[in-house]
């Protein structure tokens, strides 16, 4: 899974990966209380793939997503999204890039309660200074099954519907990469399945790249492959995951780290 030293020629080489991390390190705190959340993570994800990230609580999954999405800055290392380096630029450049190319879905939806479903959905376009088209909001909300809820407020929606709004909001700018941190963590089984199907559709139908943190082996089985994290390091990769194989791997994650697999 670690493709160290891979290079591509910009004129003749393959298209850049959707996401590339090189030796990404991130610590919190200082001195005795310092915690290394990411410890030299190197990985590459091809465009148009759906990847699940799994690992024990505190293994660095959210930190990985935040750094990869440009919501947080690593202490060292390189993050590239769609061939563009996020690390190094100014805060304003980073924000601009993030708004145009990256979508993020949170466990707790993060919708603005005072805005309608339609207004929440087009907010990223507004923030990016793009023309806001009501038809676009209707189109994208219809695609996630909420075409009849445009004027509703988030508190009138179920958790599953709220998360669908959050997905519509993440898709509205047509981002290259969508990051989702436990998007089904607060949902019942059926809503979770619907949300996972939407994420998979974004990949299969629209060619987006999705990176999703989850604790649920069934959710992970919707992905093309699973990356395992332990103690801030990559601890394995499982292609074509089944829920059973994922659960088995999780149970032995500690062993993998011990043997350096
Ligand atoms: N803002 C912060 N300040 C201090 N320590 C932090 C902060 N964010 C994360 N950490 C620490 O960094 C490590 C990795 O945290 P992270 O949230 O990335 O883990 P996680 O794998 O997402 O866990 P979970 O499954 O519980 O969400 C943990 O030890 C955590 O306590
Ligand atoms: Mg987390």
């Amino acid at each position: 899974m670690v493709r160290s030293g891979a290079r591509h020629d910009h004129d003749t080489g393959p298209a850049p990966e959707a996401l590339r991390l090189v030796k990404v390190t991130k610590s919190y705190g200082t001195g005795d209380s310092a915690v290394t959340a990411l410890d030299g993570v190197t990985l590459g994800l091809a465009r148009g793939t759906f990847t699940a990230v799994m690992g024990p609580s505190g293994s660095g999954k959210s930190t990985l997503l935040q750094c990869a999405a440009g919501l947080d800055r690593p202490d060292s290392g390189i993050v590239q999204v769609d061939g563009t380096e996020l690390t190094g630029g100014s805060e304003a450049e980073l924000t601009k890039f993030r708004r145009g190319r990256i979508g993020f879905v949170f466990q707790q939806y993060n919708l603005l309660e005072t805005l309608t479903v339609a207004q929440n959905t087009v907010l990223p376009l507004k923030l990016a200074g793009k023309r806001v088209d009501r038809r676009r909001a209707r189109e994208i909300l219809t695609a996630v099954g909420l075409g009849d809820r445009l004027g509703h407020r988030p508190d009138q929606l179920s958790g599953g519907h709220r998360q669908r709004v959050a997905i519509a909001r993440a898709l509205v700018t047509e981002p290259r990469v969508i990051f989702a941190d436990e998007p089904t963590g607060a949902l019942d089984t059926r809503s979770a399945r619907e949300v996972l199907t939407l994420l998979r559709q974004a990949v299969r139908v629209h060619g987006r790249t999705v990176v999703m943190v989850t604790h649920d082996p069934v959710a992970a089985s919707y992905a093309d492959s699973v990356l395992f994290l332990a103690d801030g390091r990559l601890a394995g990769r499982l292609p074509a995951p089944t829920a059973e194989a994922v659960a088995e791997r999780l149970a032995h994650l500690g062993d993998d780290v011990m043997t350096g697999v």
Side-chain angles (χ1 to χ4, degrees), residues 38-56:
L38 292 178
D39 190 6
V41 173
T42 296
L43 61 87
L45 301 181
R47 285 179 176 179
T49 56
F50 187 176
T51 303
V53 179
M54 303 191 85

Side-chain angles (χ1 to χ4, degrees), residues 113-205:
E113 299 292 328
T114 54
L115 300 184
T116 65
V117 163
Q119 288 167 337
N120 267 288
T121 302
V122 299
L123 193 59
L125 293 175
K126 278 206 159 156
L127 290 173
K130 292 188 183 150
R131 203 169 59 87
V132 174
D133 187 342
R134 201 173 160 76
R135 231 180 33 204
R136 175 87 184 116
R138 180 180 297 280
E139 206 174 82
I140 199 145
L141 283 163
T142 302
V144 300
L146 294 177
D148 55 347
R149 305 291 186 115
L150 270 70
H152 286 211
R153 309 262 167 198
D155 67 2
Q156 297 174 288
L157 302 179
S158 68
H161 285 175
R162 285 173 185 228
Q163 197 60 303
R164 290 200 224 171
V165 177
I167 289 175
R169 180 182 57 186
L171 292 171
V172 77
T173 58
E174 306 192 334
R176 294 297 187 152
V177 186
I178 296 158
F179 295 96
D181 196 349
E182 301 192 42
T184 61
L187 302 182
D188 61 85
T189 308
R190 186 174 153 197
S191 301
R193 251 194 334 248
E194 288 164 0
V195 159
L196 291 162
T197 302
L198 286 173
L199 291 173
R200 190 156 64 183
Q201 262 173 21
V203 175
R204 297 282 181 271
V205 182

Side-chain angles (χ1 to χ4, degrees), residues 3 8-18 45-47 82-83 176:
R3 298 185 217 165
H8 62 261
D9 183 321
H10 283 288
D11 296 327
T12 57
E17 289 160 312
L45 301 181
R47 285 179 176 179
D82 203 34
R176 294 297 187 152

Side-chain angles (χ1 to χ4, degrees), residues 233-248:
R233 296 182 192 183
L234 280 182
R237 178 171 183 268
L238 184 65
T242 62
E244 293 73 22
V246 169
E248 170 76 17

Side-chain angles (χ1 to χ4, degrees), residues 96-107:
K96 184 162 183 272
F97 182 85
R98 203 176 56 225
R99 285 182 177 158
R101 302 283 188 88
I102 293 171
F104 210 101
V105 179
F106 302 86
Q107 179 175 351

Side-chain angles (χ1 to χ4, degrees), residues 28-29 35-37 55-64 181-182 215:
Y28 293 105
V35 174
T36 304
S57 188
S59 58
K61 304 180 297 295
S62 294
T63 306
L64 177 74
D181 196 349
E182 301 192 42
H215 283 282

